[in-house]
C-alpha cells in the first residue's frame, strides 16, 4: 500500500492584517422611524444603535469586499498574488452560484486562489477564521483571506418594528498567515438547529418567485428568545474559548463580540466578569448589526482608533441564525 506524503504547513497561524469598508450613506434612526411606530430613545435603549450604513447600488457585496480586502492585504504587507485562499461569509449575495469569492479572488489579482462562500450567519467570520487556520497549518495555502460581508438592507423589512432598526451593510476582511507561535486559539463552535425558527428568512425564495407572497423575503427574529439565548448561553461559550486557550479573563486585553445588540454585549461583559482594563468593542452604535462583517469591522475600528493595539490578546465570538456560534482567542495584528 502506497503511503501518502504528509502535508507540510506552518506550525501555527495568525491574523496578519485587517481591513474594513462601510458604505458612504449613513442612516440615522430618524429614517427608520418613518416606517415604524417607535422612537429614537427606544431604539437606542433597546439596541444601542444610533446610526447604520446602507449600501448604494454600486456598493455590491463584491465591491465592498474588494475594498476591505485591499486594505487587509496592504496591512499584512503581502501582495494579492500570495493569497492562496479566499473565504467569504455572507447571507446576502443573491446569486446562488457562482460563489462571490471567485469574483473577489479574480478582481484582487490572486494567482487562482481557492475561493468559496460559507453561510453561517453572524458566526460566519469565526467559521471562516477556523477554516483559514486549518488551511495554513495543513499546508494547502500560505495566506488566506477571510471576508465577512453583508448587504442586510436588502433583507430588511422596514415595517417590522422588531428588526427594522437593527441591520446595516459593510465588509470586513483579515489576512491569515503562518506563525511560529500560537496566535489563534482553539475554536469553540457549534449549532442548535432546534432553535432555527428564532432567526430566519420569512419565506423561501421560491414562494416569492411563484407569487405565493407579494413581499420580498426578509430576515425576522424572535427578539426575546434570541436575547435570552445570547446572554445565557454565549457567555458560557466565550468562557469555554478562554479555557481552551489556557487563559483567564484577566489575561485579556480586548473583547470583540458580534455586534448584535449593546444590551447583549453588556450582559456578556458582566457574566464573564471582565476586568475594567479590557477594551470592549461597541461598533454597534454607529454600524448596526452587520452579521458576518461585524467582528472584523469592529476589530478594524479598535485598531484604527488606538483603543486596541497590535499584539493585544482578544476574545472574539459570533452567534446568530442557525442557531450557530463560534468563539476563539486571537492575537491582534
Amino acid at each position: 500500500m502506497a503511503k501518502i506524503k504528509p502535508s507540510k504547513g506552518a506550525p501555527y497561524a495568525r491574523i496578519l492584517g485587517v481591513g474594513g469598508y462601510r458604505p458612504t450613506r449613513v442612516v440615522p434612526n430618524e429614517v427608520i422611524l418613518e416606517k415604524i411606530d417607535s422612537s429614537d430613545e427606544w431604539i437606542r435603549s433597546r439596541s444601542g444603535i444610533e446610526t447604520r450604513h446602507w449600501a448604494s447600488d454600486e456598493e455590491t457585496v463584491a465591491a465592498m469586499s474588494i475594498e476591505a480586502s485591499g486594505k487587509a492585504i496592504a496591512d499584512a504587507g503581502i501582495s494579492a498574488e500570495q493569497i492562496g485562499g479566499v473565504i467569504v461569509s455572507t447571507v446576502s449575495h443573491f446569486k446562488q452560484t457562482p460563489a462571490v469569492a471567485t469574483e473577489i479572488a479574480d478582481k484582487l489579482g490572486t494567482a487562482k486562489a481557492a475561493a468559496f462562500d460559507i453561510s453561517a450567519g453572524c458566526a460566519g467570520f469565526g467559521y471562516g477564521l477556523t477554516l483559514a487556520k486549518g488551511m495554513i497549518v495543513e499546508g494547502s495555502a500560505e495566506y488566506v483571506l477571510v471576508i465577512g460581508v453583508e448587504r442586510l438592507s436588502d433583507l430588511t423589512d422596514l415595517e417590522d418594528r422588531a428588526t427594522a432598526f437593527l441591520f446595516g451593510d459593510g465588509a470586513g476582511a483579515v489576512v491569515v498567515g503562518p506563525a511560529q507561535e500560537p496566535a489563534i486559539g482553539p475554536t469553540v463552535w457549534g449549532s442548535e438547529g432546534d432553535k432555527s425558527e428564532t432567526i430566519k428568512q420569512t419565506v423561501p425564495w421560491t414562494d416569492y418567485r411563484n407569487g405565493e407572497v407579494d413581499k420580498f423575503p426578509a430576515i425576522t427574529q424572535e427578539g426575546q428568545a434570541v436575547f435570552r439565548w445570547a446572554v445565557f448561553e454565549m457567555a458560557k461559550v466565550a468562557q469555554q474559548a478562554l479555557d481552551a486557550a489556557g487563559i483567564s479573563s484577566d489575561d485579556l486585553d480586548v473583547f470583540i463580540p458580534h455586534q448584535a445588540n449593546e444590551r447583549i454585549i453588556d450582559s456578556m461583559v458582566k457574566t464573564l466578569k471582565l476586568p475594567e482594563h479590557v477594551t470592549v468593542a461597541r461598533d454597534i452604535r454607529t454600524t448596526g448589526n452587520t452579521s458576518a462583517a461585524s467582528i472584523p469591522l469592529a476589530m478594524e475600528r479598535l485598531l484604527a482608533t488606538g483603543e486596541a493595539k497590535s499584539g493585544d490578546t482578544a476574545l472574539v465570538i459570533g452567534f446568530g441564525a442557525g442557531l450557530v456560534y463560534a468563539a476563539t482567542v486571537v492575537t491582534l495584528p
Side-chain angles (χ1 to χ4, degrees):
M1 182 180 295
K3 291 185 178 180
I4 297 174
K5 184 178 179 181
S7 301
K8 290 185 178 180
Y12 305 104
R14 68 169 296 147
I15 299 174
L16 298 173
V18 61
Y21 180 82
R22 294 171 174 81
T24 56
R25 182 187 178 192
V26 177
V27 179
N29 289 336
E30 285 73 19
V31 171
I32 307 298
L33 296 173
E34 294 172 3
K35 295 287 185 72
I36 61 172
D37 180 18
S38 188
S39 69
D40 177 64
E41 181 183 1
W42 186 88
I43 293 174
R44 291 179 188 233
S45 65
R46 298 290 292 182
S47 67
I49 299 172
E50 303 167 8
T51 61
R52 74 284 290 146
H53 296 256
W54 283 355
S56 66
D57 289 344
E58 292 75 27
E59 291 168 317
T60 64
V61 165
M64 292 190 293
S65 297
I66 290 167
E67 289 290 334
S69 298
K71 295 175 184 177
I73 291 169
D75 192 42
I78 65 170
S79 66
E81 291 86 352
Q82 293 174 273
I83 298 290
V86 177
I87 303 171
V88 178
S89 178
T90 185
V91 298
S92 49
H93 175 57
F94 290 158
K95 286 185 179 179
Q96 192 69 38
T97 190
V100 71
T102 59
E103 177 185 350
I104 294 166
D106 177 63
K107 290 186 175 178
L108 284 172
T110 68
K112 300 181 179 180
F116 56 95
D117 298 350
I118 59 174
S119 177
C122 304
F125 176 75
Y127 275 53
L129 187 65
T130 303
L131 293 173
K133 173 186 173 183
M135 291 166 70
I136 290 160
V137 173
E138 186 270 340
S140 61
E142 186 175 12
Y143 299 99
V144 178
L145 185 64
V146 179
I147 303 165
V149 57
E150 301 292 2
R151 274 181 55 117
L152 294 181
S153 58
D154 291 334
L155 286 168
T156 299
D157 180 355
L158 294 178
E159 296 178 345
D160 180 4
R161 189 173 183 270
T163 61
F165 59 90
L166 284 175
F167 302 119
D169 303 337
V174 298
V175 172
V176 183
Q180 294 304 309
E181 58 184 31
I184 300 175
T187 300
V188 177
W189 57 354
S191 65
E192 298 185 32
D194 60 315
K195 299 179 180 65
S196 61
E197 291 295 302
T198 56
I199 307 175
K200 63 181 182 179
Q201 185 172 305
T202 49
V203 296
W205 300 114
T206 49
D207 286 4
Y208 183 73
R209 180 197 65 188
N210 296 338
E212 297 174 34
V213 295
D214 296 327
K215 210 167 190 178
F216 192 75
I219 297 173
T220 185
Q221 69 175 33
E222 298 174 13
Q224 287 302 313
V226 173
F227 182 86
R228 288 193 298 270
W229 176 76
V231 167
F232 295 109
E233 299 303 321
M234 291 305 97
K236 297 176 185 176
V237 171
Q239 184 61 55
Q240 289 170 18
L242 290 174
D243 295 341
I247 66 172
S248 71
S249 58
D250 291 335
D251 300 314
L252 279 181
D253 301 303
V254 185
F255 179 44
I256 311 178
H258 164 49
Q259 302 294 290
N261 181 305
E262 192 163 37
R263 291 169 63 210
I264 291 175
I265 295 171
D266 289 340
S267 295
M268 292 183 73
V269 168
K270 183 177 180 180
T271 302
L272 289 168
K273 299 179 180 179
L274 296 185
E276 289 188 7
H277 75 262
V278 176
T279 297
V280 179
R282 299 184 185 278
D283 199 39
I284 181 76
R285 294 173 179 171
T286 57
T287 306
N289 180 341
T290 57
S291 188
S294 79
I295 290 175
L297 278 174
M299 183 184 296
E300 184 262 351
R301 174 161 281 173
L302 288 175
L303 289 166
T305 59
E307 295 173 81
K309 62 183 185 300
S310 175
D312 278 353
T313 300
L315 169 63
V316 299
I317 179 170
F319 44 87
L323 295 171
V324 295
Y325 54 88
T328 189
V329 174
V330 303
T331 301
L332 294 182

